[in-house]
Amino acid sequence: EAGVTQFPSHSVIEKGQTVTLRCDPISGHDNLYWYRRVMGKEIKFLLHFVKESKQDESGMPNNRFLAERTGGTYSTLKVQPAELEDSGVYFCASSRGAGTTMNTEAFFGQGTRLTVV
Amino acid sequence: KNEVEQSPQNLTAQEGEFITINCSYSVGISALHWLQQHPGGGIVSLFMLSSGKKKHGRLIATINIQEKHSSLHITASHPRDSAVYICAVEDYGGSQGNLIFGKGTKLSVKP
C-alpha cells in the first residue's frame, strides 16, 4: 500500500509568486490534514478535510492560503502571493477514520519544504 | 534514516493514574516533538524539546539524548486525555521535511 505522498519535495520561490503544494493521501482515507512547521517552531495545524469538505480550517493563517480537495482524493494547498514568513515545511497526513470511529491512525507524508526568498 | 518507535501502541488507564508513553529513535536528532491527536482528528503540538525536561500542566516530557529516548508523562490522568500521542523527531542536517513520525500511542482513560 502506497503511503501519503507530497509533491514537490522542495520548492523555492520569490516573494509574491504563487506555489501549489499537492498531497495524495492513502487510498480510501477520507480524512486529510495539512500542517505547517515554520523553522525552529512547533508544528501547527492548518486544516482538515473529510472527503471533499473542509471539516475544520481554523488553522489557516490568512486568505493567501487556499486548500482544495476536489473529488475527495488528492488535495492542493495554494499560497498566493507567497510571503517570506510562509517559508517552512508543509506536512500532509491522512487517516481512514476520525472522531469516535476506528482506524484513526494518521499517516504522514514526507513534507514539502517551501522557501520564499 | 532515523527509526522512531513508540510504546505501548495502546494503553488503557483508570482516571487518576500516572501514565508514561515512550519514544525511542535510532540516530542523533536536533529536536523531538510530542503531538496529540484528539478523536476529532486534528493534531496539536504538545512539546518540542532538544534536552532535559518540559512541563505543561499535567504533562511532562523528558528526553535523554545519550540513550536516544524520550518519555511523555501524564499525571492524574482524566478521560479528556484520551487521544493518540505521536512522537516525531528531527534529524540533524536532515533533508526533506526533517521530521520522522512514530506510529502513535492510543490512550484511553476510563472514568
Side-chain angles (χ1 to χ4, degrees), chain A residues 40-58:
Chain A
K41 296 189 177 178
E42 295 179 343
I43 298 163
K44 296 284 189 184
F45 166 80
L46 295 178
L47 87 161
H48 171 203
F49 281 101
V50 177
K51 296 186 180 178
E52 68 274 12
S53 300
K54 292 175 185 174
Q55 180 78 8
D56 180 356
E57 52 183 330
S58 60

mmCIF file of all heavy atoms in Angstrom, chain A residues 40-58:
data_model
loop_
_atom_site.group_PDB
_atom_site.id
_atom_site.type_symbol
_atom_site.label_atom_id
_atom_site.label_comp_id
_atom_site.label_asym_id
_atom_site.label_seq_id
_atom_site.Cartn_x
_atom_site.Cartn_y
_atom_site.Cartn_z
ATOM 1 N N GLY A 40 12.240 26.082 13.356
ATOM 2 C CA GLY A 40 12.514 26.374 14.748
ATOM 3 C C GLY A 40 11.290 26.473 15.621
ATOM 4 O O GLY A 40 11.413 26.677 16.827
ATOM 5 N N LYS A 41 10.106 26.337 15.026
ATOM 6 C CA LYS A 41 8.883 26.461 15.819
ATOM 7 C C LYS A 41 8.099 25.162 15.789
ATOM 8 O O LYS A 41 8.446 24.208 15.116
ATOM 9 C CB LYS A 41 8.040 27.613 15.279
ATOM 10 C CG LYS A 41 8.721 28.965 15.412
ATOM 11 C CD LYS A 41 7.768 30.087 15.075
ATOM 12 C CE LYS A 41 8.465 31.427 15.290
ATOM 13 N NZ LYS A 41 7.564 32.545 14.925
ATOM 14 N N GLU A 42 7.038 25.147 16.545
ATOM 15 C CA GLU A 42 6.254 23.927 16.668
ATOM 16 C C GLU A 42 5.377 23.709 15.434
ATOM 17 O O GLU A 42 5.164 24.591 14.630
ATOM 18 C CB GLU A 42 5.390 23.998 17.928
ATOM 19 C CG GLU A 42 6.232 24.033 19.196
ATOM 20 C CD GLU A 42 5.391 24.127 20.441
ATOM 21 O OE1 GLU A 42 4.218 24.489 20.337
ATOM 22 O OE2 GLU A 42 5.922 23.830 21.519
ATOM 23 N N ILE A 43 4.887 22.489 15.354
ATOM 24 C CA ILE A 43 4.025 22.124 14.238
ATOM 25 C C ILE A 43 2.632 22.707 14.470
ATOM 26 O O ILE A 43 2.074 22.601 15.557
ATOM 27 C CB ILE A 43 3.943 20.596 14.129
ATOM 28 C CG1 ILE A 43 5.332 20.029 13.847
ATOM 29 C CG2 ILE A 43 2.957 20.165 13.056
ATOM 30 C CD1 ILE A 43 5.437 18.549 14.124
ATOM 31 N N LYS A 44 2.087 23.314 13.435
ATOM 32 C CA LYS A 44 0.766 23.938 13.556
ATOM 33 C C LYS A 44 -0.221 23.296 12.590
ATOM 34 O O LYS A 44 0.084 23.082 11.415
ATOM 35 C CB LYS A 44 0.846 25.428 13.225
ATOM 36 C CG LYS A 44 1.694 26.229 14.182
ATOM 37 C CD LYS A 44 0.978 26.458 15.483
ATOM 38 C CE LYS A 44 1.747 27.449 16.356
ATOM 39 N NZ LYS A 44 1.119 27.614 17.672
ATOM 40 N N PHE A 45 -1.391 23.034 13.095
ATOM 41 C CA PHE A 45 -2.488 22.514 12.277
ATOM 42 C C PHE A 45 -2.988 23.610 11.342
ATOM 43 O O PHE A 45 -3.115 24.773 11.742
ATOM 44 C CB PHE A 45 -3.602 22.059 13.218
ATOM 45 C CG PHE A 45 -4.926 21.810 12.561
ATOM 46 C CD1 PHE A 45 -5.167 20.630 11.874
ATOM 47 C CD2 PHE A 45 -5.922 22.758 12.615
ATOM 48 C CE1 PHE A 45 -6.391 20.395 11.282
ATOM 49 C CE2 PHE A 45 -7.156 22.529 12.021
ATOM 50 C CZ PHE A 45 -7.391 21.345 11.355
ATOM 51 N N LEU A 46 -3.276 23.245 10.101
ATOM 52 C CA LEU A 46 -3.846 24.192 9.143
ATOM 53 C C LEU A 46 -5.317 23.888 8.897
ATOM 54 O O LEU A 46 -6.183 24.725 9.135
ATOM 55 C CB LEU A 46 -3.070 24.167 7.828
ATOM 56 C CG LEU A 46 -1.621 24.642 7.888
ATOM 57 C CD1 LEU A 46 -0.953 24.514 6.521
ATOM 58 C CD2 LEU A 46 -1.548 26.096 8.363
ATOM 59 N N LEU A 47 -5.588 22.683 8.369
ATOM 60 C CA LEU A 47 -6.985 22.333 8.160
ATOM 61 C C LEU A 47 -7.181 20.846 7.998
ATOM 62 O O LEU A 47 -6.226 20.102 7.827
ATOM 63 C CB LEU A 47 -7.574 23.080 6.958
ATOM 64 C CG LEU A 47 -7.434 22.493 5.551
ATOM 65 C CD1 LEU A 47 -8.456 23.119 4.633
ATOM 66 C CD2 LEU A 47 -6.045 22.661 5.029
ATOM 67 N N HIS A 48 -8.455 20.465 8.042
ATOM 68 C CA HIS A 48 -8.865 19.066 7.998
ATOM 69 C C HIS A 48 -9.995 18.909 6.990
ATOM 70 O O HIS A 48 -11.004 19.604 7.067
ATOM 71 C CB HIS A 48 -9.336 18.651 9.407
ATOM 72 C CG HIS A 48 -9.995 17.318 9.497
ATOM 73 N ND1 HIS A 48 -10.856 17.005 10.530
ATOM 74 C CD2 HIS A 48 -9.930 16.209 8.716
ATOM 75 C CE1 HIS A 48 -11.287 15.759 10.390
ATOM 76 N NE2 HIS A 48 -10.735 15.263 9.289
ATOM 77 N N PHE A 49 -9.786 17.995 6.042
ATOM 78 C CA PHE A 49 -10.831 17.630 5.079
ATOM 79 C C PHE A 49 -11.439 16.297 5.479
ATOM 80 O O PHE A 49 -10.739 15.380 5.880
ATOM 81 C CB PHE A 49 -10.242 17.433 3.674
ATOM 82 C CG PHE A 49 -9.952 18.685 2.910
ATOM 83 C CD1 PHE A 49 -8.658 19.170 2.830
ATOM 84 C CD2 PHE A 49 -10.968 19.365 2.246
ATOM 85 C CE1 PHE A 49 -8.382 20.317 2.100
ATOM 86 C CE2 PHE A 49 -10.699 20.510 1.519
ATOM 87 C CZ PHE A 49 -9.401 20.992 1.452
ATOM 88 N N VAL A 50 -12.737 16.190 5.314
ATOM 89 C CA VAL A 50 -13.399 14.893 5.318
ATOM 90 C C VAL A 50 -13.979 14.746 3.918
ATOM 91 O O VAL A 50 -14.875 15.498 3.535
ATOM 92 C CB VAL A 50 -14.515 14.785 6.368
ATOM 93 C CG1 VAL A 50 -15.206 13.423 6.258
ATOM 94 C CG2 VAL A 50 -13.961 14.990 7.761
ATOM 95 N N LYS A 51 -13.414 13.810 3.189
ATOM 96 C CA LYS A 51 -13.698 13.696 1.746
ATOM 97 C C LYS A 51 -13.407 15.058 1.123
ATOM 98 O O LYS A 51 -12.328 15.599 1.301
ATOM 99 C CB LYS A 51 -15.128 13.211 1.533
ATOM 100 C CG LYS A 51 -15.342 11.803 2.081
ATOM 101 C CD LYS A 51 -16.720 11.261 1.757
ATOM 102 C CE LYS A 51 -16.859 9.854 2.339
ATOM 103 N NZ LYS A 51 -18.203 9.285 2.084
ATOM 104 N N GLU A 52 -14.371 15.648 0.427
ATOM 105 C CA GLU A 52 -14.061 16.919 -0.232
ATOM 106 C C GLU A 52 -14.433 18.133 0.606
ATOM 107 O O GLU A 52 -14.192 19.271 0.200
ATOM 108 C CB GLU A 52 -14.760 16.979 -1.596
ATOM 109 C CG GLU A 52 -16.271 17.061 -1.540
ATOM 110 C CD GLU A 52 -16.928 15.686 -1.444
ATOM 111 O OE1 GLU A 52 -16.212 14.684 -1.185
ATOM 112 O OE2 GLU A 52 -18.159 15.630 -1.603
ATOM 113 N N SER A 53 -15.005 17.903 1.776
ATOM 114 C CA SER A 53 -15.483 19.011 2.597
ATOM 115 C C SER A 53 -14.449 19.440 3.636
ATOM 116 O O SER A 53 -13.770 18.611 4.239
ATOM 117 C CB SER A 53 -16.767 18.602 3.325
ATOM 118 O OG SER A 53 -17.766 18.269 2.405
ATOM 119 N N LYS A 54 -14.375 20.718 3.884
ATOM 120 C CA LYS A 54 -13.492 21.251 4.910
ATOM 121 C C LYS A 54 -14.173 21.106 6.264
ATOM 122 O O LYS A 54 -15.151 21.781 6.549
ATOM 123 C CB LYS A 54 -13.168 22.722 4.624
ATOM 124 C CG LYS A 54 -12.324 22.918 3.396
ATOM 125 C CD LYS A 54 -12.114 24.385 3.068
ATOM 126 C CE LYS A 54 -11.356 24.519 1.754
ATOM 127 N NZ LYS A 54 -11.237 25.918 1.309
ATOM 128 N N GLN A 55 -13.651 20.197 7.071
ATOM 129 C CA GLN A 55 -14.220 19.951 8.394
ATOM 130 C C GLN A 55 -13.807 21.037 9.381
ATOM 131 O O GLN A 55 -14.574 21.449 10.234
ATOM 132 C CB GLN A 55 -13.745 18.580 8.885
ATOM 133 C CG GLN A 55 -14.236 18.166 10.243
ATOM 134 C CD GLN A 55 -15.667 17.668 10.187
ATOM 135 O OE1 GLN A 55 -16.231 17.503 9.110
ATOM 136 N NE2 GLN A 55 -16.267 17.426 11.325
ATOM 137 N N ASP A 56 -12.565 21.463 9.236
ATOM 138 C CA ASP A 56 -12.017 22.440 10.177
ATOM 139 C C ASP A 56 -10.888 23.168 9.472
ATOM 140 O O ASP A 56 -9.911 22.547 9.068
ATOM 141 C CB ASP A 56 -11.491 21.725 11.430
ATOM 142 C CG ASP A 56 -10.908 22.673 12.468
ATOM 143 O OD1 ASP A 56 -10.831 23.894 12.210
ATOM 144 O OD2 ASP A 56 -10.527 22.185 13.549
ATOM 145 N N GLU A 57 -11.048 24.462 9.263
ATOM 146 C CA GLU A 57 -9.978 25.233 8.634
ATOM 147 C C GLU A 57 -9.519 26.351 9.544
ATOM 148 O O GLU A 57 -9.028 27.388 9.080
ATOM 149 C CB GLU A 57 -10.415 25.771 7.268
ATOM 150 C CG GLU A 57 -11.721 26.535 7.273
ATOM 151 C CD GLU A 57 -12.129 26.973 5.859
ATOM 152 O OE1 GLU A 57 -11.250 27.208 5.015
ATOM 153 O OE2 GLU A 57 -13.344 27.085 5.636
ATOM 154 N N SER A 58 -9.666 26.130 10.840
ATOM 155 C CA SER A 58 -9.349 27.163 11.812
ATOM 156 C C SER A 58 -7.872 27.520 11.867
ATOM 157 O O SER A 58 -7.500 28.571 12.355
ATOM 158 C CB SER A 58 -9.819 26.718 13.206
ATOM 159 O OG SER A 58 -9.172 25.516 13.582
#
